[in-house]
Amino acid sequence: MAKGIEILKQPYPYYYKGFNFVIVAGIIFIMSLLFNYLFEPFVVYRPEHKVAYFWISMIHSLNAFMVVLIILFINNNMVDEDRWTVVKEMVLIGFMLFMIGVCQFLVRDLIYDNPDNWSLGYLLEELRNTFLVGILFVIILVPLNYLRLAKGHLMTAQSINTQSLLGQTSEKTSLIPIITQQKSDDFELEANRFLFAKADGNYLEIFLENGGTAARLIKRMTLKELEQQLEPFPNFFKTHRSYLVNLQKVVHVKGNAQGYLLQIKHAVEEVPVSRGMIPKFERQYLD
């Protein structure tokens, strides 16, 4: 039970941003149309059809396309993709299938000549049929997309590691005055020792190179405040809502379906790169 809950809380790539949500809706439309028209997976009683079966399949597929398009468009304006998890993905897919089933029920009067079109039985039937087909599509598409993302990030990470080794440069020693929320806590940051910073509410954990280990400072300030003060220094890069790293201290980049994980010199913890920061990270790290 505990293992199952842990899996549900695992990070999951949110891949509906940008033009992707239109592509996803389009794939669902094409697969739904071909599947329903060619295989007729459910009982087809043609005497009650008001239009040809092809147009019935088309209407059902357009229903699915529009529902997915609208839900993803709304969700994209609210979602925090850095906090997207397996359970949130499952809830989103389940909600889309439910709404598709409801819409399929609402158009029955347009395509079927049946006095019981508005019955509870047909509502449940449309929901059942939608979930059966939807789950089949999920079983096929989700693993394929997950593997595609993982393979793409893995290959790019390998390329990044190769190029970064060839282009690695040493960082100049400099002291950067940092202002915190408490004046007595202000300090000077040694640029060549800075590894990464991790946000923890209104506090910040700052990890510094200390011989062969990583020393930790805790300061009362936000990650945004530190980022603003380090803006003139291009090697300091915000990879995630909670992390700011010194790109000169990255020793290895790992790729997975979520994006990248950075191994920092002397640090035990791996630093994630959020999906939204991947293009900028690739450009800046290899610059």
Side-chain angles (χ1 to χ4, degrees):
M1 183 66 176
K3 185 67 174 177
I5 294 175
E6 189 64 29
I7 291 173
L8 292 177
K9 291 181 178 179
Q10 288 294 311
Y12 193 83
Y14 187 84
Y15 40 76
Y16 308 116
K17 282 290 184 78
F19 195 65
N20 281 352
F21 79 101
V22 179
I23 296 174
V24 170
I27 291 173
I28 290 174
F29 168 75
I30 294 171
M31 290 184 66
S32 176
L33 177 61
L34 294 176
F35 184 73
N36 283 302
Y37 183 69
L38 297 178
F39 296 100
E40 298 186 11
F42 306 108
V43 175
V44 177
Y45 185 59
R46 297 184 188 277
E48 70 176 12
H49 291 181
K50 291 184 177 180
V51 294
Y53 181 64
F54 172 79
W55 294 111
I56 290 176
S57 299
M58 177 69 76
I59 290 170
H60 282 314
S61 301
L62 280 173
N63 254 346
F65 174 80
M66 292 305 300
V67 168
V68 170
L69 209 61
I70 292 170
I71 290 177
L72 290 182
F73 178 78
I74 295 172
N75 196 61
N76 283 347
N77 292 314
M78 302 183 300
V79 71
D80 181 353
E81 59 184 296
D82 290 339
R83 295 181 178 177
W84 197 248
T85 60
V86 173
V87 68
K88 290 180 180 179
E89 178 79 5
M90 292 174 64
V91 170
L92 176 63
I93 292 174
F95 180 67
M96 286 194 293
L97 292 177
F98 176 80
M99 292 306 300
I100 290 171
V102 170
C103 289
Q104 306 295 28
F105 171 73
L106 294 176
V107 300
R108 284 190 61 87
D109 243 12
L110 298 176
I111 54 181
Y112 299 124
D113 185 13
N114 189 316
D116 296 323
N117 276 336
W118 294 101
S119 67
L120 177 62
Y122 275 123
L123 171 60
L124 296 177
E125 181 180 299
E126 293 293 353
L127 289 172
R128 180 203 66 189
N129 293 348
T130 300
F131 271 87
L132 287 175
V133 174
I135 290 172
L136 175 63
F137 288 177
V138 167
I139 291 173
I140 295 172
L141 294 177
V142 170
L144 287 177
N145 189 57
Y146 192 89
L147 291 173
R148 177 186 67 83
L149 289 170
K151 183 178 179 181
H153 291 149
L154 179 61
M155 292 178 65
T156 306
Q158 291 173 343
S159 175
I160 288 173
N161 288 324
T162 301
Q163 294 180 54
S164 65
L165 287 175
L166 294 175
Q168 198 71 265
T169 58
S170 59
E171 186 166 337
K172 296 179 180 179
T173 300
S174 59
L175 292 176
I176 307 169
I178 302 296
I179 300 172
T180 66
Q181 295 176 6
Q182 291 180 312
K183 187 169 181 59
S184 60
D185 210 23
D186 294 351
F187 67 104
E188 289 187 326
L189 178 66
E190 293 184 60
N192 63 324
R193 291 184 59 210
F194 178 70
L195 299 175
F196 71 98
K198 178 181 178 182
D200 185 12
N202 287 327
Y203 289 89
L204 202 61
E205 293 181 275
I206 300 173
F207 294 85
L208 303 171
E209 189 173 0
N210 185 26
T213 61
R216 185 179 68 163
L217 289 177
I218 298 180
K219 297 292 180 179
R220 187 174 179 81
M221 65 186 307
T222 64
L223 188 67
K224 185 176 182 180
E225 290 170 342
L226 180 63
E227 181 188 14
Q228 289 173 342
Q229 295 179 65
L230 296 179
E231 192 172 357
F233 303 87
N235 287 333
F236 299 142
F237 181 76
K238 185 178 179 181
T239 63
H240 184 276
R241 63 184 300 122
S242 300
Y243 291 89
L244 181 74
V245 305
N246 182 351
L247 295 180
Q248 290 289 336
K249 302 298 182 179
V250 176
V251 295
H252 188 72
V253 181
K254 292 167 59 177
N256 57 29
Q258 281 77 35
Y260 299 127
L261 288 174
L262 309 181
Q263 184 180 339
I264 311 297
K265 187 177 182 180
H266 303 313
V268 176
E269 181 177 359
E270 292 180 322
V271 174
V273 180
S274 64
R275 282 181 53 78
M277 297 303 296
I278 286 175
K280 188 175 180 181
F281 166 76
E282 291 174 347
R283 291 193 302 269
Q284 194 153 337
Y285 185 54
L286 295 175
D287 188 7

